[in-house]
């Protein structure tokens, strides 16, 4: 299960798929990238890093790989038992997060958000300053989960949904 089509999240997808025969799942929108139908949507590194932001173009490209399940909506269709997908666009047009309904709920947020050292959820440096990003975090705040894991940085392992709800409350 891949949250979005950036090389730092898809770079070994082909090798893992080839060696494990595991099916690859990601959003239909972002699946256009590994199929070669669309270029990678770069994150707004210039906003975060100034002139150094252009470094994204030097990251190695992920080898093309086939996507077994292209997710087109929120829900559970096409996913293993106990899993749900939540559309969280903003970091990329087709970014999704995954929620596993076990152990009190485990959210895999990808790059939809980050957590700082104080345990506060925020959009992160790698997301555009947009209403879409904020709304994706607000959508996650409507779910119940105990722990949240992010594509970069830390994680929250106790009452993580409350941290998302605090962010959502501040957006009102």
């Amino acid at each position: 299960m891949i949250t979005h089509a950036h090389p730092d999240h898809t770079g070994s997808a082909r090798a893992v798929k080839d060696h494990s025969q595991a099916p690859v799942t990601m959003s239909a929108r972002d699946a256009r990238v590994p199929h070669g139908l669309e270029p990678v949507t770069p994150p707004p590194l210039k906003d975060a890093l100034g002139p150094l932001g252009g470094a994204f173009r030097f990251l190695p490209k992920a080898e093309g790989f086939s996507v077994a399940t292209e997710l087109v909506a929120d829900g559970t269709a096409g996913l293993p038992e106990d899993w749900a997908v939540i559309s969280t666009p903003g970091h990329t047009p087709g970014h999704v997060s995954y929620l596993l309904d076990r152990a009190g709920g485990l959210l895999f947020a990808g790059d939809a958000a980050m957590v700082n050292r104080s345990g506060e959820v925020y959009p992160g440096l790698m997301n555009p300053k947009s209403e879409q990003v904020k709304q994706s975090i607000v959508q996650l705040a409507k779910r119940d989960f105990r722990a949240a894991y992010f594509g970069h940085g830390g994680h929250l392992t106790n009452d993580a949904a409350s941290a998302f709800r605090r962010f959502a409350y501040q957006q009102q």
Side-chain angles (χ1 to χ4, degrees):
M1 286 185 249
I2 296 175
T3 58
H4 64 289
H6 277 162
D8 58 327
H9 293 262
T10 62
S12 25
R14 182 175 184 165
V16 170
K17 182 182 181 312
D18 289 349
H19 287 82
S20 70
Q21 303 305 310
V24 175
T25 301
M26 65 189 303
S27 74
R29 174 62 180 78
D30 274 18
R32 297 177 58 77
V33 175
H35 290 308
L37 301 173
E38 222 170 277
V40 173
T41 303
L45 292 175
K46 289 183 182 170
D47 291 350
L49 303 175
L52 297 175
F56 183 80
R57 70 179 181 270
F58 298 113
L59 289 175
K61 292 185 178 178
E63 293 183 48
F65 55 89
S66 61
V67 177
T69 304
E70 295 183 11
L71 304 165
V72 293
D74 290 356
T76 60
L79 294 174
E81 186 177 344
D82 296 338
W83 286 93
V85 65
I86 305 155
S87 180
T88 50
H91 185 70
T92 65
H95 190 289
V96 295
S97 299
Y98 296 97
L99 183 60
L100 177 59
D101 187 20
R102 291 189 198 151
L106 307 174
L107 175 70
F108 298 88
D111 287 353
M114 291 184 77
V115 62
N116 66 22
R117 290 181 182 172
S118 300
E120 297 168 329
V121 170
Y122 68 108
L125 297 174
M126 304 297 270
N127 278 321
K129 310 277 187 264
S130 74
E131 192 60 30
Q132 187 178 42
V133 169
K134 291 176 186 175
Q135 287 308 308
S136 287
I137 299 172
V138 169
Q139 288 305 310
L140 293 172
K142 295 176 182 177
R143 306 296 180 119
D144 291 318
F145 48 92
R146 178 186 57 79
Y149 302 93
F150 304 88
H152 302 281
H155 57 275
L156 297 168
T157 57
N158 191 27
D159 197 22
S162 290
F164 280 79
R165 291 181 184 121
R166 282 190 296 275
F167 175 87
Y169 179 78
Q170 293 168 358
Q171 302 310 304
Q172 297 177 349

